[in-house]
Amino acid sequence: MEITLVQGDITEQPVDAIVNAANSSLMGGGGVDGAIHRRGGPEILEECRKLRASAYREGLPTGQAVATTAGRLAARWVIHTVGPVYSKSEDRSALLASCYRESLRVADELEARSVAFPAISTGVYGWPMDDGARIAIETVRHADTSVEDVRFVLFDSAAHAVFEARLSG
Ligand code: ADP
């Protein structure tokens, strides 16, 4: 597997699957989630609604992942995963690692070979970027998957620099 870093907007990535840092409602939100629904169009939300009416009546649990169409995006699928909210008093790293692992498992089910990830939980959910990057890279590196091309798409140069340091370290 090749791991690369890109600075930019995840919605513009021409990959098989884009991972969404969703919330458990699957009904959209800010950050990556808002950008994906805005650019991908209503088809994505429509499929999310169907998931909420069937397999995920209580919402998508933290650490799990589920796929929908990517609507108007260049990607074929969006894989929605729910990161943990950062906590100083409780170690939720296993849940964050699970997001990356489960997203790759869903990608394998779809036979996706290229996957773009955002830095899950490092926005509104407050995870420190350096620790988020460490968990992201370690988990993806050790994952048992047929995905060949993993791209971490970092929104700004600071996040990109943190991932670069972790990737080469
Ligand atoms: P979470 O709720 O899991 O913290 P956010 O979407 O708030 O998710 O943020 C996750 C990370 O994605 C943050 O580092 C944020 O800066 C970054 N981000 C926000 N919008 C985009 C985008 N369009 N493309 C790539 N990364 C983005």
Side-chain angles (χ1 to χ4, degrees):
M1 177 209 288
E2 191 179 7
I3 300 179
T4 50
L5 306 181
V6 178
Q7 190 188 327
D9 184 339
I10 196 165
T11 62
E12 292 170 3
Q13 297 303 308
V15 285
D16 294 333
I18 285 177
V19 176
N20 181 16
N23 59 58
S24 82
S25 79
L26 293 177
M27 292 293 109
V32 174
D33 204 2
I36 285 175
H37 285 290
R38 231 174 3 255
R39 299 216 26 178
E43 228 187 311
I44 303 174
L45 198 57
E46 198 42 51
E47 267 194 46
C48 286
R49 280 209 185 88
K50 285 182 187 152
L51 288 168
R52 282 301 307 273
S54 55
Y56 296 100
R57 285 181 176 275
E58 309 288 311
L60 180 64
T62 304
Q64 293 190 25
V66 68
T68 66
T69 174
R72 296 197 287 256
L73 297 177
R76 294 178 64 188
W77 299 283
V78 173
I79 298 173
H80 307 263
T81 189
V82 182
V85 174
Y86 182 70
S87 164
K88 277 188 177 157
S89 55
E90 190 189 355
D91 182 7
R92 298 177 180 166
S93 312
L95 284 169
L96 185 54
S98 174
C99 288
Y100 289 99
R101 209 176 305 110
E102 286 297 303
S103 295
L104 289 172
R105 191 184 58 74
V106 170
D108 282 337
E109 281 175 9
L110 299 167
E111 297 186 14
R113 294 291 173 260
S114 54
V115 177
F117 280 102
I120 300 166
S121 287
T122 64
V124 172
Y125 284 1
W127 209 286
M129 187 60 75
D130 184 53
D131 197 52
R134 177 186 66 80
I135 293 167
I137 290 167
E138 275 178 11
T139 308
V140 166
R141 261 188 188 147
H142 295 116
D144 179 17
T145 175
S146 303
V147 173
E148 295 161 357
D149 167 4
V150 169
R151 283 178 215 185
F152 289 108
V153 183
L154 296 321
F155 212 34
D156 55 38
S157 59
H160 186 272
V162 168
F163 267 73
E164 202 159 55
R166 281 287 177 190
L167 194 59
S168 57

